[in-house]
Amino acid sequence: MSILKCPFCSSHSQNIGFSLSFRGIHRYVFCGCGASGPVAKGKSEAISAWNSRMQVFFYDPETINSPGERKRTKAYIESLTQDGFTVVTIPCHSNEQEPTK
């Protein structure tokens, strides 16, 4: 299982660390920039936790009236998807849309 790049610095040089406590040895993925993933029981679980990015919610670009905002939203969604984030789109509410001219 490969480790995804760091969502903060875009580095591909992550390592597996471990912590020792009265509960036993736990593993985690960490990056040189200081980012670290959740603690897990094993190496594969730590990598899976690191690779599991949080969900990010955006307005569905097709429901945004402003052409400029629609274009920016599409580009941002594409960038986040390439970085491994899970993008969830929701319809833009009519009261939050810019009026069309």
Side-chain angles (χ1 to χ4, degrees):
M1 177 182 293
S2 62
I3 302 173
L4 293 177
K5 67 182 178 178
C6 178
F8 302 103
C9 72
S10 298
S11 170
H12 285 283
S13 59
Q14 289 77 32
N15 294 300
I16 306 292
F18 69 92
S19 63
L20 182 59
S21 71
F22 67 93
R23 292 187 177 139
I25 297 176
H26 290 89
R27 304 278 183 178
Y28 60 94
V29 175
F30 69 94
C31 181
C33 74
S36 64
V39 176
K41 289 186 178 185
K43 181 179 176 181
S44 62
E45 291 90 354
I47 293 171
S48 178
W50 173 268
N51 289 346
S52 299
R53 303 289 197 243
M54 67 178 177
Q55 290 184 343
V56 182
F57 291 85
F58 277 95
Y59 287 131
D60 182 351
E62 301 308 318
T63 64
I64 299 173
N65 285 335
S66 168
E69 190 62 31
R70 185 179 316 120
K71 183 178 178 180
R72 283 189 294 275
T73 302
K74 283 181 179 180
Y76 199 48
I77 287 172
E78 182 179 327
S79 173
L80 287 171
T81 303
Q82 289 174 355
D83 286 341
F85 287 88
T86 302
V87 177
V88 178
T89 58
I90 56 175
C92 183
H93 300 289
S94 59
N95 61 342
E96 295 184 29
Q97 295 177 353
E98 290 183 14
T100 55
K101 296 179 183 176

